[in-house]
Amino acid sequence: MRNPSNDTAGVTAKADSSLPAREASEPLRTCILSREESPREGLIRLALSPDGDVLPDIRAKAPGRGAWIGVARVELEAAQAKGKLRGALSRAFKTQDLRIPDDLGARIEAQLQRNLLDRLGLESKAGHVTIGGERLDKAARSGKLHLLLHASDAGEDGAGKLAQAWRVGSDMEGSGRRGLTLPLPRTILSLALGRENVVHAGLTDAKAAKRVSEALDRWLHFIGPDPAPRPCETGSQGASAFPPDGSQNMTNSTEGL
């Protein structure tokens, strides 16, 4: 599975380098389209409903045989349009009697976003998320910050100052460490964390940062970089911060599973 770099909103998020490495014995799965192997946490599982509908199973909880994909949405939809997805799914599920929703890519994207927001909410309730400029600055400078996130409408000055504090606190001055600008506005980030006006957020627990980073990686990899960003709605928004159309849809559909 491809992993882009870690500088803009359409890229893989990496938490603090002190996080533990993956176990060598972690089970691998094969993407039915690319045939590349990857740990299952980095892939997306598709399941077959009792009625024969192919549906996303982001948490890999649905019973029965599953099919795994590790490609981005644009590649998935291209394979679907050419009939390659149907063939790959028929082989994986060992049946021709299946239906692929026209909006499968949109459903997967919505579930991946929901999964990330749910994870952020859980970590917030557990006390692993810090918000507020002063508290984040203090956590960053004291070396307690493991992952730094910014809303898409965060001001560049505020994000830059926190990133600088993070570099200082982690002895990485002069590096490109800057945190990650999410393709989500502050309204959605605030709802996820159950707080008001959340513009910046940080994970102060290493394991929590790893969990959030993994959920974020899967979502950002699937939506891919936005090839044609929309114009900034306010002066504080960066062009790289905007999501492709539909990625702010917060629905979470697993009908029939």
Side-chain angles (χ1 to χ4, degrees):
M1 174 176 166
R2 285 197 323 272
N3 281 321
S5 61
N6 179 33
D7 281 335
T8 60
V11 301
T12 296
K14 294 298 180 186
D16 189 278
S17 59
S18 65
L19 297 180
R22 292 184 181 277
E23 295 288 341
S25 60
E26 187 174 4
L28 298 176
R29 297 291 185 270
T30 302
C31 171
I32 62 171
L33 292 174
S34 70
R35 307 309 301 170
E36 293 181 5
E37 288 189 340
S38 179
R40 53 178 287 170
E41 287 78 7
L43 299 177
I44 298 163
R45 186 177 189 264
L46 301 177
L48 198 62
S49 78
D51 295 328
D53 294 313
V54 176
L55 299 173
D57 178 28
I58 301 304
R59 293 183 173 87
K61 299 292 186 181
R65 185 183 297 274
W68 299 83
I69 59 170
V71 297
R73 178 175 173 175
V74 65
E75 296 168 291
L76 174 73
E77 293 179 339
Q80 185 172 356
K82 295 176 182 178
K84 293 182 179 179
L85 178 62
R86 170 169 286 279
L89 287 170
S90 295
R91 291 189 293 273
F93 290 123
K94 300 186 182 303
T95 179
Q96 298 288 332
D97 187 17
L98 52 83
R99 290 184 298 274
I100 307 173
D102 292 338
D103 62 345
L104 179 62
R107 295 189 190 201
I108 294 173
E109 183 173 329
Q111 282 200 22
L112 288 171
Q113 178 179 315
R114 181 72 263 169
N115 184 57
L116 168 65
L117 296 175
D118 287 347
R119 172 49 56 191
L120 282 170
L122 288 171
E123 301 301 351
S124 179
K125 290 179 180 178
H128 299 151
V129 177
T130 296
I131 63 172
E134 291 186 7
R135 288 191 292 272
L136 275 170
D137 184 87
K138 181 178 180 180
R141 292 183 182 278
S142 62
K144 296 179 180 179
L145 193 63
H146 295 279
L147 184 63
L148 177 62
L149 304 173
H150 311 292
S152 63
D153 50 353
E156 291 184 6
D157 288 346
K161 289 177 181 178
L162 289 174
Q164 174 62 18
W166 193 21
R167 291 192 292 269
V168 169
S170 54
D171 293 327
M172 295 183 67
E173 291 183 79
S175 72
R177 171 171 280 195
R178 54 187 289 185
L180 189 109
T181 300
L182 298 171
L184 294 169
R186 69 183 70 189
T187 51
I188 302 300
L189 187 57
S190 300
L191 283 172
L193 296 176
R195 314 284 184 88
E196 293 184 1
N197 196 34
V198 178
V199 182
H200 312 281
L203 278 295
T204 53
D205 178 86
K207 291 182 179 180
K210 181 175 183 290
R211 291 189 291 265
V212 170
S213 182
E214 288 175 345
L216 187 52
D217 279 351
R218 284 210 299 166
W219 178 43
L220 294 182
H221 172 76
F222 186 72
I223 66 177
D226 188 356
R230 296 193 295 263
C232 295
E233 295 176 4
T234 71
S236 66
Q237 291 176 315
S240 66
F242 291 99
D245 290 342
S247 69
Q248 291 186 21
N249 180 355
M250 293 180 63
T251 58
N252 183 23
S253 173
T254 53
E255 304 98 325
L257 292 181

